[in-house]
Amino acid sequence: MKAIVVRQYGGPEVLKFEEYPDPVPGPGEVLVRVAAASVNPIDYKRRAGLTKDFYPLKFPGLIGVDLSGTVIKVGPDVPEFEDGDRVFAIADNSYAELCVVKAAVLADIPEGLDLIEAAALPLVTTTGNQLLTATGIKAGQTVLVVGAQGNVGRSAVFTAKYLGARVIAGVLKRQIDDAKTVGADQFVATDDDSAIAALPPLDAVADTVGGKTAEKLIARVKPGGVFASVVGPPQNAASYPSVKAVFVFSKFDRNTLQFMAEAVRDGKLVIPIGRKLPLREAAEAHAAAEKGGIGKILLLP
């Protein structure tokens, strides 16, 4: 098969489109013909060696966690899937024409959802949902979603509104007009100290940004509230012992993924797709993704 092969840590230029051995499904595994993989920050951080302490690459190796595709072979002890099923997952080694996926982390794509565009959803929608859930927010309470215009942020806003919470979208001042599509009740410019100071007491913060912004916003959380983040607790969290700081690391959950995907299919949640590129152009995709932007980048074998 063709795949994006990495032989050393480095910049986008280390991503090489080459022949690689076809994977073979073992017990409890499924072989998927990849329709699309999506580019996530974890992919380019792993390529650069920034995750080698906890998520290393074995060279030569493959990267990529999101995929959508079609089942073409089922290993032993997999009763729930069969050839031809349309599936998506948070997997491993998805920048390839073929990918072996554990059946336990595979989900059926909801009817009516585009096969290729489904690849944009697994990691960001699951992460956003679990980030918001980690705040423990309840109906009628107020949560600030930091980085609400990003795809994890959008997913967190949707989940909060589904639970009946009041949602404040935290975005940069220049993003406020564009962020009005995310479905929040109120907006705040997180690069405006006076706007942050004017925030009401918050029941929770769901953070996707971190850094100095997080350090300012934890001060706005009520005693007994929660500051949940996908990038780690604020550096000054110890100064606010009455606020529970939670680090959220996404874990696959089939029901969550299918629920969020149905919301996308039904138009209740929008995950913008910026570009669709051939798999061989993965280096260009990484360079573009690292510059930032709203839309997901999909790689098509």
Side-chain angles (χ1 to χ4, degrees):
M1 69 174 182
K2 292 290 188 180
I4 296 298
V5 182
V6 183
R7 299 183 182 278
Q8 64 186 65
Y9 292 123
E13 70 278 359
V14 304
L15 302 176
K16 304 298 184 182
F17 185 66
E18 300 177 359
E19 286 289 339
Y20 197 80
D22 288 2
V24 178
E29 296 179 333
V30 173
L31 182 63
V32 176
R33 184 173 301 283
V34 179
S38 79
V39 177
N40 290 289
I42 189 65
D43 300 337
Y44 47 79
K45 289 177 181 178
R46 193 176 183 213
R47 180 214 73 219
L50 301 179
T51 66
K52 59 185 176 183
D53 290 340
F54 61 92
Y55 191 21
L57 266 168
K58 183 178 180 181
F59 302 118
L62 309 183
I63 61 172
V65 294
D66 274 342
L67 69 79
S68 63
T70 305
V71 174
I72 59 172
K73 188 173 182 181
V74 176
D77 304 319
V78 182
E80 65 267 47
F81 294 102
E82 59 185 28
D83 291 3
D85 284 350
R86 300 182 341 132
V87 293
F88 58 164
I90 301 172
D92 207 359
N93 304 335
S94 65
Y95 286 17
E97 292 178 324
L98 302 172
C99 186
V100 163
V101 184
K102 293 185 183 299
V105 301
L106 201 60
D108 289 309
I109 296 174
E111 193 68 33
L113 185 64
D114 182 80
L115 174 65
I116 289 174
E117 295 189 355
L121 306 183
L123 186 60
V124 295
T125 63
T126 299
T127 302
N129 179 282
Q130 292 177 351
L131 170 63
L132 195 286
T133 302
T135 68
I137 203 75
K138 297 179 175 59
Q141 293 184 320
T142 300
V143 59
L144 170 64
V145 178
V146 192
Q149 198 179 8
N151 296 307
V152 172
R154 288 169 177 264
S155 301
V157 170
F158 166 76
T159 304
K161 292 301 296 180
Y162 177 81
L163 294 174
R166 176 172 177 76
V167 183
I168 302 174
V171 296
L172 299 176
K173 191 181 301 183
R174 60 180 170 79
Q175 297 174 325
I176 285 181
D177 285 342
D178 291 337
K180 290 178 181 176
T181 61
V182 304
D185 300 292
Q186 184 181 335
F187 303 87
V188 63
T190 54
D191 51 351
D192 182 339
D193 287 349
S194 61
I196 290 176
L199 282 168
L202 305 168
D203 295 293
V205 169
D207 172 48
T208 70
V209 174
K212 294 296 183 183
T213 300
E215 292 178 23
K216 295 173 184 177
L217 290 172
I218 193 171
R220 308 304 303 166
V221 181
K222 295 176 182 177
V226 178
F227 190 105
S229 177
V230 294
V231 292
Q235 291 293 316
N236 61 342
S239 299
Y240 299 90
S242 65
V243 176
K244 182 180 180 182
V246 180
F247 177 43
V248 178
F249 190 82
S250 180
K251 297 179 180 177
F252 175 80
D253 181 87
R254 181 177 290 147
N255 291 336
T256 296
L257 177 54
Q258 290 181 318
F259 167 72
M260 298 297 281
E262 288 169 5
V264 172
R265 178 198 62 193
D266 297 341
K268 298 174 182 177
L269 168 63
V270 176
I271 302 297
I273 294 175
R275 301 174 70 183
K276 297 176 183 176
L277 295 173
L279 180 62
R280 66 173 64 246
E281 296 179 17
E284 179 183 340
H286 272 220
E290 288 181 88
K291 290 179 181 177
I294 299 172
K296 291 283 287 181
I297 299 177
L298 302 185
L299 294 172
L300 282 57

